[in-house]
Amino acid sequence: MKSNSIEPVQTFSELFHLILNGKKEESRKAAREVRKLLYGSKSPGQYNEIKSIIENAPNEYVNIIEDWRMENFVMAVSVIYFLHDKEKQPDFLFPWLLYLLKNHNGNIRNSARRMIEKELGPLTFHIRCPQYKHSKSKSKKSDHILLSLYLALNQLLDEFWEPKYKKYKYLDSLPTCPYKTVQLIVWRMYELCGEVYIEHGF
């Protein structure tokens, strides 16, 4: 009797190779193994692999043909995303993530949403905690990133808007769709920044 488990792997590179090149079931299982490897790994050298995978994610994604493989890849990247090595450029993947918000697949959109929201905490720290001393240049840069993101999200809302959404009073009651996913990020921005900052702080 054949086992349904994938062959044991030792590295993230091996898992992502399976995600990108394996058969459907191999790719699916490899994507789910990423989390296990992440929290079970004791090798510091693995983090260099992770940084490389994240930085190259948009280039890898553009070559994927199958919808199911796209989903596996994006969901796996979202698991390790917080370990990216771009602290001075926290929005380096935003163009790709904003593109993913247009996808018809809800798992892909929500993975992109979570990755964007992951950056909102550090980006809004100077707004939420003004009692701490902040670098003016860093705060200004964060403000610029937040403004650019806010404008981009509103452009997407205009693109996705449909008159039928008027009948929904609450965000949670909206049907699953790109419009709702983007609205959730905008709502999170309002929650972290405050309405006054959103309307006047930029």
Side-chain angles (χ1 to χ4, degrees), residues 4-57:
N4 289 326
S5 62
I6 63 174
E7 291 297 317
V9 294
Q10 300 298 320
T11 69
F12 290 100
S13 294
E14 290 173 329
L15 283 176
F16 273 88
H17 178 77
L18 276 174
I19 292 168
L20 291 168
N21 300 287
K23 293 180 181 178
K24 189 171 184 178
E25 187 62 12
E26 288 178 322
S27 177
R28 185 189 73 81
K29 288 183 177 179
R32 283 146 184 79
E33 287 291 321
V34 169
R35 185 179 298 276
K36 293 180 185 177
L37 181 59
L38 176 65
Y39 293 106
S41 174
K42 297 178 181 178
S43 172
Q46 298 261 30
Y47 294 108
N48 291 325
E49 284 186 55
I50 289 173
K51 292 168 187 175
S52 176
I53 290 167
I54 296 170
E55 288 183 25
N56 291 318

Side-chain angles (χ1 to χ4, degrees), residues 120-138:
L120 291 180
L123 285 171
T124 60
F125 182 70
H126 66 293
I127 303 167
R128 294 179 290 108
C129 303
Q131 67 272 26
Y132 291 97
K133 289 184 178 179
H134 302 280
S135 162
K136 286 186 178 180
S137 61
K138 187 175 181 181

Side-chain angles (χ1 to χ4, degrees), residues 1 5-6 9 11 75 84 109 111 118 122 131 160 171 177:
M1 184 175 178
S5 62
I6 63 174
V9 294
T11 69
M75 290 180 69
H84 68 69
R109 291 198 311 273
S111 293
K118 181 71 182 176
Q131 67 272 26
F160 297 143
L171 179 55
C177 58

Side-chain angles (χ1 to χ4, degrees), residues 96-133:
W96 180 54
L97 298 178
L98 289 166
Y99 171 74
L100 294 181
L101 292 176
K102 300 180 180 183
N103 200 285
H104 68 278
N105 185 307
N107 288 328
I108 289 178
R109 291 198 311 273
N110 281 315
S111 293
R113 175 178 64 82
R114 286 192 294 270
M115 286 186 270
I116 291 174
E117 290 180 350
K118 181 71 182 176
E119 298 299 343
L120 291 180
L123 285 171
T124 60
F125 182 70
H126 66 293
I127 303 167
R128 294 179 290 108
C129 303
Q131 67 272 26
Y132 291 97
K133 289 184 178 179

